[in-house]
Amino acid sequence: MNDTASETIVCTACGALNKAPAAKLAAGARPKCGKCGAPLFSGEPVAARSVADFERQTSKGTLPVLVDFWAEWCGPCKAMAPQFSAAAAMLEPGVRLMKLDTEALPEVAGRFGIRSIPTLILIRGGREIARQSGVMDAQSIKRWTEAAMQRG
Ligand code: ZN
């Protein structure tokens, strides 16, 4: 068995680590969590619920995580939300899309030095590999993410 042939996916419901063959994911399989039975992918972004949840999602799995730093008061963030959701449907299961409310989790926003929102940060293995501020449409989010993964 080649280790690179499987992905470790963090369950967004219970946090359990699940192994799935990369080839099956690429072929359209949509596995469920072995511990709680929740689907590992929903086609929608997942919200970071706590600092610990954010840490686990971004550092324990092998999938890159695209994080949307947003806030309730931010008009452009709200304008981008449906575009980010559409991008999740296009980018899963190769990438996990996550929304981070900068008002609810200011520690995380501070650690990444977020100065304007919306800001997208692509994280792999706990490490930032790219960031982009400003509103993007779904296609632009997809293209930008794929280009960043090629480089990073
Ligand atoms: Zn689970």
Side-chain angles (χ1 to χ4, degrees):
M1 267 303 279
N2 180 349
D3 225 27
T4 60
S6 79
E7 299 282 2
T8 299
I9 302 158
V10 184
C11 174
T12 58
C14 76
L17 302 180
N18 290 265
K19 286 246 181 214
K24 278 198 171 176
L25 290 174
R30 291 295 175 269
K32 291 184 172 171
C33 175
K35 188 174 170 199
C36 76
L40 293 174
F41 297 98
S42 64
E44 284 286 330
V46 57
R49 289 166 300 195
S50 65
V51 175
D53 183 40
F54 173 83
E55 297 280 357
R56 190 165 179 84
Q57 291 287 340
T58 53
S59 64
K60 297 292 184 191
T62 53
L63 295 179
V65 181
L66 180 63
V67 186
D68 173 18
F69 289 82
W70 72 285
E72 186 64 35
W73 49 261
C74 163
C77 297
K78 287 187 162 172
M80 192 170 83
Q83 300 297 325
F84 194 68
S85 288
M90 293 190 279
L91 286 164
E92 281 188 353
V95 183
R96 168 76 76 204
L97 274 70
M98 171 179 273
K99 292 180 72 75
L100 188 127
D101 182 340
T102 55
E103 298 282 295
L105 299 173
E107 309 94 306
V108 179
R111 190 192 315 161
F112 283 91
I114 302 297
R115 279 175 180 65
S116 69
I117 50 175
T119 289
L120 296 183
I121 297 186
L122 186 63
I123 298 171
R124 185 152 55 192
R127 191 174 65 87
E128 173 177 342
I129 58 175
R131 78 165 62 191
Q132 176 77 41
S133 294
V135 175
M136 283 194 277
D137 64 26
Q139 282 295 342
S140 302
I141 293 169
K142 177 173 181 281
R143 278 197 302 270
W144 177 82
T145 303
E146 287 170 346
M149 290 192 333
Q150 294 284 323
R151 292 193 309 268

